[in-house]
Amino acid sequence: MNGLGGTGAQQSKDCSFAAGSVAGAPLRVSWFLVILFLSQLVDAINEHQLPLWVRITQVTVNELLLLFTVLCHEMGHGTMARRCGGTIAEVLLWPFGGICFTTRGPTQDPKQSLTNELYIVAAGPATHFPMSFAWVVLLGAYGAAVSHVVRPSSYLYLVPFGSPPPPCFNPGWEGCFHSYSGWLMYSFLARAIQLNVMLFLFNVFFPMYPMDGAKLIVCSLQLFCGASARCAAKVLLCTSIPLSVIFIGDALLSAMGRSFMGGRGGGLQPSIMAYMGIMCLSESYRIYRLFQEERLYTHPLFALARSDTTRVVDRHGATTRLNTSERDDPEAAAAPQVQFSEIRAFAGQGRSLGEVPSTAPYQNLGMPADSRAAWFHTGCRLKRMEDDQAQRNKTVRELEDERLVAKR
């Protein structure tokens, strides 16, 4: 996630601690992430299916794999922001993933700003491709080292929602791991591949703002589909708000199931989902307020909502001036429908070449002949004035071309 507005910034300042730096950028870790990790450790200790050290190792290494993957994802955003002229203020790791607080490079072109925003947003999910490839290679190499174990092909773990389970552990069976250390190593490598696949799908194909998928849709609609900023904002609101409500409703149902069905539930997971849904709903409401106030141009995703210049037509003609308005540009009105009429051959009222136009078309206007003639001559005089004005507005090149044509 490339920013959650004021909520993420406040979390970074008040509820986190410094944890060093990454590529010159300060790294902070949320205390809520520590609480979630301790909760998972308590759940693992209460289980009795595996030895205690195996359960603790599973929770710890899985958490480290998640943090490493999220950190690479966020550094993808930050590195691209640097390439576009910006900087990385800091990186925050918290229960919802991570936030890379970045600044944007100085640019006066709204379209270029939106293009840079698209590059920055897409750079995060793009990091999952090389990471997945690296983990698949490592899993394949480890599988070749333990060739006596029956295992699925490494690339099958790239299949979302259908990845095979890791090999079995049984010291007395051929084809299974005979030690917990070997079984854990294989499980961690497979888990790393699945984690990258799921995070990529969640960030790209889950259009809930401020997830990367919602930003990709908004930027693509404006840059590639020719949609206006206000139209893109409507699409964003129509996808983000229902998904936020679904997140909150699913969290409430999980909590009710834990309370009324006697199950353990998901620990802190329902609370985290509900909190995330509420934050996303608040961010969507902020965009809705900007939409109502016609100030979408103040949001980095809708820089095209207001043009830098405006075209003004007055008695001196059409001029281009700086746009000093503090509101979005009005949306273009729909093109008027073309009225088709029946065409009949030889049914027109034409005139021969060289014939002086008559006032016949004006005879049915219900006015005296003198008035009709005066009206006709006034129209001719206005036509001559328009032609003279058009002649004066011609460039030197156009006048030179006309002179050459006349000379030929």
Side-chain angles (χ1 to χ4, degrees):
M1 289 178 287
N2 193 20
L4 269 174
T7 305
Q10 194 67 26
Q11 286 278 340
S12 178
K13 294 178 181 178
D14 300 340
C15 304
S16 63
F17 59 91
S21 62
V22 179
L27 176 65
R28 301 187 67 85
V29 178
S30 172
W31 286 108
F32 294 108
L33 184 61
V34 177
I35 296 173
L36 178 62
F37 173 67
L38 293 177
S39 173
Q40 292 174 343
L41 278 180
V42 171
D43 292 339
I45 292 173
N46 291 332
E47 293 181 356
H48 302 285
Q49 297 178 354
L50 296 173
L52 179 61
W53 73 271
V54 175
R55 287 174 274 157
I56 294 178
T57 303
Q58 278 183 320
V59 173
T60 304
V61 176
N62 284 335
E63 187 69 21
L64 291 176
L65 285 174
L66 175 62
L67 294 181
F68 174 77
T69 305
V70 170
L71 187 59
C72 291
H73 178 107
E74 297 304 325
M75 289 308 298
H77 292 307
T79 303
M80 183 57 68
R82 284 176 172 175
R83 292 180 63 88
C84 293
T87 59
I88 305 176
E90 66 178 22
V91 180
L92 171 67
L93 297 178
W94 62 344
F96 311 116
I99 307 177
C100 185
F101 296 96
T102 59
T103 61
R104 302 297 185 260
T107 178
Q108 301 297 328
D109 186 9
K111 186 174 182 179
Q112 184 61 43
S113 299
L114 191 61
T115 303
N116 293 342
E117 190 71 25
L118 179 62
Y119 290 155
I120 294 172
V121 173
T127 59
H128 295 293
F129 288 97
M131 284 194 289
S132 299
F133 177 77
W135 288 120
V136 168
V137 172
L138 289 176
L139 182 61
Y142 183 73
V146 290
S147 56
H148 65 280
V149 178
V150 178
R151 66 196 185 282
S153 300
S154 301
Y155 67 87
L156 292 179
Y157 290 98
L158 292 171
V159 179
F161 310 111
S163 299
C168 61
F169 169 79
N170 193 325
W173 287 82
E174 291 294 334
C176 294
F177 281 101
H178 296 166
S179 65
Y180 280 114
S181 58
W183 178 75
L184 284 174
M185 178 61 69
Y186 192 97
S187 300
F188 292 146
L189 293 174
R191 170 67 175 170
I193 299 173
Q194 295 171 333
L195 191 61
N196 276 277
V197 172
M198 297 308 297
L199 286 179
F200 174 80
L201 295 177
F202 182 73
N203 278 277
V204 174
F205 297 102
F206 197 78
M208 182 175 73
Y209 185 79
M211 305 297 176
D212 293 336
K215 297 178 182 179
L216 290 174
I217 290 177
V218 169
C219 295
S220 300
L221 284 175
Q222 298 178 79
L223 292 175
F224 307 130
C225 301
S228 65
R230 296 183 66 81
C231 177
K234 293 177 184 177
V235 174
L236 176 66
L237 294 174
C238 290
T239 57
S240 294
I241 293 177
L243 290 175
S244 300
V245 174
I246 291 175
F247 248 60
I248 299 172
D250 184 73
L252 294 177
L253 290 176
S254 299
M256 292 173 61
R258 182 182 56 186
S259 300
F260 297 107
M261 298 181 184
R264 292 187 307 128
L268 296 177
Q269 197 66 27
S271 302
I272 292 175
M273 290 183 60
Y275 186 49
M276 185 176 183
I278 292 173
M279 283 195 306
C280 293
L281 197 61
S282 65
E283 291 295 319
S284 299
Y285 178 72
R286 186 167 68 93
I287 295 178
Y288 173 76
R289 289 291 301 273
L290 294 176
F291 181 87
Q292 293 294 106
E293 297 170 1
E294 297 183 0
R295 296 180 62 249
L296 280 174
Y297 72 94
T298 59
H299 196 282
L301 288 179
F302 305 104
L304 296 179
R306 176 179 174 272
S307 305
D308 292 334
T309 59
T310 181
R311 187 173 178 82
V312 179
V313 180
D314 53 15
R315 61 188 182 89
H316 300 291
T319 58
T320 301
R321 303 177 183 176
L322 290 176
N323 190 0
T324 58
S325 173
E326 296 184 356
R327 294 184 177 273
D328 299 335
D329 295 339
E331 289 189 280
Q337 297 293 330
V338 178
Q339 300 293 333
F340 294 96
S341 58
E342 183 182 1
I343 301 177
R344 296 181 179 179
F346 307 105
Q349 296 179 356
R351 60 186 179 86
S352 303
L353 294 176
E355 180 183 353
V356 179
S358 66
T359 60
Y362 305 94
Q363 293 179 359
N364 298 326
L365 295 179
M367 59 178 63
D370 296 339
S371 300
R372 292 199 301 270
W375 191 8
F376 171 73
H377 291 301
T378 301
C380 294
R381 186 164 56 254
L382 292 175
K383 183 65 171 60
R384 287 196 301 270
M385 292 176 62
E386 292 177 356
D387 294 341
D388 294 340
Q389 182 66 28
Q391 187 71 16
R392 286 194 296 269
N393 291 337
K394 289 182 178 180
T395 62
V396 177
R397 181 62 180 270
E398 292 174 345
L399 294 175
E400 185 65 20
D401 292 341
E402 289 182 358
R403 186 182 67 81
L404 292 176
V405 171
K407 186 176 181 181
R408 292 195 189 98

